């Protein structure tokens, strides 16, 4: 990660991916604060980009990362026009699932989330083992096999 980006947003720890994002008006409530759902959408954007970066693809008949469980911790709010950094790192993996952690930063941590993602075919819901390539990529980014 670029040291200047780490300093600008107060990012701590090691992360597999980082994305800069400007809070849009459409992500805000009537008080111009980012709506709670906006944080989860930022995580979704990071999740999609990460899946593509590690060799995954999206199609109705191809396995993809479907959210099975998600938890969120809101620490501080941000507002329209604020610049934030969104980070993602894989934590653990099993045969058909893996866990990722997300964080949003602006002068330190303002939000964090953890999600369990299941490798499944969207059209049928059938769980599919993670491919060797995806497993290798996740382990290379720090995920631990459970």
């Amino acid at each position: 990660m670029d040291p200047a980006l780490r300093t600008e947003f107060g990012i701590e720890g090691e992360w597999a991916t980082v994305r800069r994002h400007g809070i849009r008006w459409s992500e805000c409530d009537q008080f111009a604060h980012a709506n709670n759902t906006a944080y989860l959408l930022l995580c979704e954007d990071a999740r999609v980009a990460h899946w593509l970066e590690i060799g995954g693809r999206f199609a109705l008949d191809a396995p993809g990362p479907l959210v099975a469980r998600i938890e969120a911790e809101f620490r501080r709010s941000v507002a329209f026009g604020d610049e934030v950094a969104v980070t993602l790192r894989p934590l653990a993996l099993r045969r058909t699932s893996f866990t990722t952690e997300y964080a949003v930063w602006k002068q330190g941590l303002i939000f964090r989330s953890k999600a369990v993602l299941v490798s499944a075919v969207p059209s049928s819901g059938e769980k599919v083992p993670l491919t060797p390539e995806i497993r290798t990529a996740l382990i290379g980014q720090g995920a631990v096999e459970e």
Side-chain angles (χ1 to χ4, degrees):
M1 177 183 307
D2 176 15
L5 193 65
R6 183 180 290 282
T7 300
E8 178 182 356
F9 292 101
I11 299 171
E12 298 174 3
E14 297 303 316
W15 297 87
T17 63
V18 61
R19 299 171 57 92
R20 179 187 289 269
H21 179 80
I23 301 298
R24 299 179 301 237
W25 183 253
S26 62
E27 297 168 323
C28 295
D29 60 20
Q30 66 269 30
F31 304 110
H33 293 108
N35 185 291
N36 289 358
T37 59
Y39 296 88
L40 297 174
L41 291 173
L42 292 174
C43 294
E44 180 181 49
D45 288 346
R47 182 170 46 256
V48 167
H50 180 252
W51 183 250
L52 295 172
E53 287 168 9
I54 63 173
R57 67 184 189 96
F58 290 98
L60 285 176
D61 61 346
L66 305 182
V67 176
R69 183 176 352 138
I70 194 162
E71 57 187 60
E73 178 186 348
F74 300 89
R75 292 186 165 200
R76 288 183 317 171
S77 63
V78 289
F80 172 67
D82 283 346
E83 289 284 321
V84 298
V86 183
T87 55
L88 175 151
R89 63 181 161 207
L91 298 176
L93 65 143
R94 294 182 171 193
R95 191 174 75 77
T96 62
S97 66
F98 61 105
T99 304
T100 53
E101 181 179 21
Y102 310 87
V104 180
W105 308 85
K106 183 181 187 309
Q107 298 173 340
L109 182 64
I110 62 168
F111 171 84
R112 71 178 174 188
S113 177
K114 196 180 289 186
V116 175
L117 308 171
V118 175
S119 174
V121 178
S123 60
S124 68
E126 174 192 4
K127 290 182 182 180
V128 178
L130 295 167
T131 66
E133 296 80 15
I134 296 291
R135 293 183 75 77
T136 300
L138 292 170
I139 291 168
Q141 294 177 337
V144 177
E145 293 189 76
E146 293 184 334

